[in-house]
């Protein structure tokens, strides 16, 4: 079912006056041609402490996205299944534990282990799927991601993962800058802060990417798998 351009999670924080200011960005949303899934930082650290409030888990596991991460597990698994059935590549990003002082943000990253940056077991890459290791927020910065996308003939991206305000945002802006049409999957994208999540999805949706609901994207992928 078609939805209004603003039918998203930010409706409770964005005023009618702001919506009027951003009206010139309205357009038809779509999944672009020859897409790939770009899964940003679905690593173990984001899920530490379990399916509990973010404030609670962060007292012991700094950097965990708590219940926000766990809520996104099932829709993300459904998205990946639909993509693979349609022959759409799934590409992951992660990083190594901080051993050289290069960080993606200013957040303190003491006493981290390499296992924390392994891909979470619910999303274990299939054989042959690409995993990009990065040191800054964007999956594009200082990595061979663009070269791989060009070699694979990819023209657009379906982006999910964490965090919305950090690595997802940086990667999405870079994707736009490199000329890729990008779709952000609302139910498969998350942050430690719901305010940051909503504000950044709103901003990215209007300026750099199409924010779409997972059911609409899966329906499009299933249609393409039948064509």
């Amino acid at each position: 079912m078609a939805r209004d351009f603003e039918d998203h999670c930010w409706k409770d924080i964005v005023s009618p006056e702001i919506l009027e200011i951003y009206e010139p960005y309205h357009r038809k949303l779509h999944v672009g041609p020859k897409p790939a899934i770009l899964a940003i930082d679905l690593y173990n650290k984001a899920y530490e402490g379990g399916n509990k409030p973010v404030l609670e888990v962060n007292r012991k596991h700094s950097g965990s996205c708590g219940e926000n991460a766990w809520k996104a597990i099932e829709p993300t698994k459904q998205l990946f299944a639909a993509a693979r059935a349609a022959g759409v590549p799934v590409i992951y990003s992660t990083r190594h534990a901080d051993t050289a002082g290069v960080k993606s943000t200013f957040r303190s990253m003491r006493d981290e282990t390499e296992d924390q940056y392994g891909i979470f077991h619910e999303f274990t890459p299939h054989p042959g799927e690409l995993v990009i290791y990065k040191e800054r927020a964007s999956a594009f910065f200082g990595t061979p991601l663009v070269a791989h996308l060009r070699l694979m003939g990819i023209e657009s991206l379906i982006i999910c993962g964490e965090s919305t305000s950090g690595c997802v945002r940086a990667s999405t802006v870079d994707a736009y800058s490199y000329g890729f049409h990008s779709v952000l999957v609302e139910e498969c994208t998350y942050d430690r802060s719901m305010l940051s999540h909503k504000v950044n999805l709103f901003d990215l949706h209007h300026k750099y990417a199409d924010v779409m609901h997972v059911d609409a994207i899966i329906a499009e992928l299933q249609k393409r798998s039948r064509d």
Side-chain angles (χ1 to χ4, degrees):
M1 181 180 68
R3 291 183 170 98
D4 181 82
F5 187 80
E6 304 289 355
D7 183 17
H8 293 284
C9 61
W10 55 76
K11 290 193 295 184
D12 62 335
I13 65 167
V14 179
S15 69
E17 291 79 11
I18 293 175
L19 291 178
E20 181 178 341
I21 293 169
Y22 280 80
E23 194 279 333
Y25 290 98
H26 285 208
R27 61 197 180 274
K28 184 177 180 180
L29 307 179
H30 68 286
V31 177
K34 299 180 181 178
I37 301 288
L38 180 58
I40 306 292
D41 298 356
L42 298 180
Y43 45 58
N44 293 321
K45 187 175 181 65
Y47 303 88
E48 288 180 330
N51 188 10
K52 299 175 183 177
V54 179
L55 180 60
E56 178 182 340
V57 297
N58 262 261
R59 289 170 178 151
K60 184 176 180 180
H61 305 283
S62 176
S64 173
C65 292
E67 61 188 357
N68 298 341
W70 286 78
K71 182 179 180 181
I73 290 175
E74 284 306 315
T76 303
K77 290 170 65 175
Q78 294 169 19
L79 174 69
F80 286 10
R84 289 170 175 137
V88 171
V90 178
I91 300 169
Y92 298 80
S93 78
T94 185
R95 59 167 296 139
H96 294 293
D98 182 33
T99 57
V102 179
K103 302 189 295 185
S104 55
T105 71
F106 286 124
R107 182 176 60 81
S108 175
M109 301 170 68
R110 297 187 300 269
D111 302 321
E112 294 188 318
T113 66
E114 194 69 13
D115 178 68
Q116 289 177 297
Y117 291 102
I119 302 300
F120 188 58
H121 66 89
E122 295 278 8
F123 309 115
T124 301
H126 286 197
E129 291 182 336
L130 179 65
V131 180
I132 293 290
Y133 287 85
K134 61 189 179 68
E135 293 187 326
R136 294 301 193 189
S138 173
F140 290 90
F141 185 84
T143 78
L145 178 57
V146 169
H148 283 284
L149 294 174
R150 300 302 186 202
L151 185 64
M152 297 163 70
I154 300 301
E155 297 180 9
S156 59
L157 295 170
I158 300 169
I159 300 174
C160 63
E162 61 93 20
S163 64
T164 316
S165 61
C167 298
V168 168
R169 181 183 180 91
S171 299
T172 302
V173 173
D174 275 359
Y176 178 84
S177 299
Y178 278 112
F180 295 98
H181 173 80
S182 295
V183 169
L184 282 169
V185 192
E186 180 172 322
E187 294 83 358
C188 304
T189 307
Y190 55 94
D191 203 302
R192 286 174 288 279
S193 161
M194 286 305 299
L195 177 61
S196 295
H197 173 70
K198 293 178 181 182
V199 168
N200 280 278
L201 277 187
F202 173 83
D203 194 62
L204 290 166
H205 180 58
H206 290 80
K207 296 177 181 177
Y208 305 115
D210 292 352
V211 175
M212 296 178 62
H213 293 280
V214 66
D215 58 350
I217 296 171
I218 288 174
E220 175 62 23
L221 292 173
Q222 290 173 338
K223 176 179 179 296
R224 295 187 187 193
S225 68
R226 295 191 297 266
D227 291 344

